[in-house]
Amino acid sequence: MYPTMPKGSVDKCTFCVERIDAGKGEVQACVAACPAGARVFGDLEELKKQAVEKDGFQLLPEEGTNPAVWYVPNVRNE
C-alpha cells in the first residue's frame, strides 16, 4: 500500500482490495492460505448473523472503530 514501509512495521490489512476490485472471484490471500478453513470473507451482514448465532464477537467495539472482523469461538466435542 505504501511505496516504502519503515523496517519492522506492519501495514493494516486491506482485505486484498485488489482481488475484490479485479472482479475475478479470487479469494483473499489469508482465506486461500488457511488450511483449516478458519477464515471466511463475504457479505458482512450475512457473516455477522452467522457469527452472532455462534456467540461470535468483535474486539473492542466500544472504542468506536467499527471493526469489520468477527471472531467465532472454536467449539470442540468433549
Side-chain angles (χ1 to χ4, degrees):
M1 189 165 188
Y2 302 100
T4 58
M5 290 292 294
K7 186 176 180 177
S9 65
V10 181
D11 196 3
K12 184 175 181 180
C13 177
T14 63
F15 296 105
C16 291
V17 69
E18 68 283 355
R19 293 180 181 211
I20 298 166
D21 290 347
K24 297 179 182 177
E26 197 175 6
V27 298
Q28 287 60 34
C30 62
V31 174
C34 183
R39 295 180 177 265
V40 294
F41 187 88
D43 178 76
L44 182 58
E45 291 305 314
E46 181 59 34
L47 294 172
K48 185 191 314 187
K49 286 179 195 173
Q50 293 173 17
V52 168
E53 288 172 1
K54 297 177 181 177
D55 295 325
F57 60 94
Q58 295 173 300
L59 293 179
L60 303 173
E62 66 275 7
E63 296 294 324
T65 59
N66 193 24
V69 175
W70 282 79
Y71 298 87
V72 178
N74 183 19
V75 178
R76 291 182 171 195
N77 292 333
E78 299 203 19

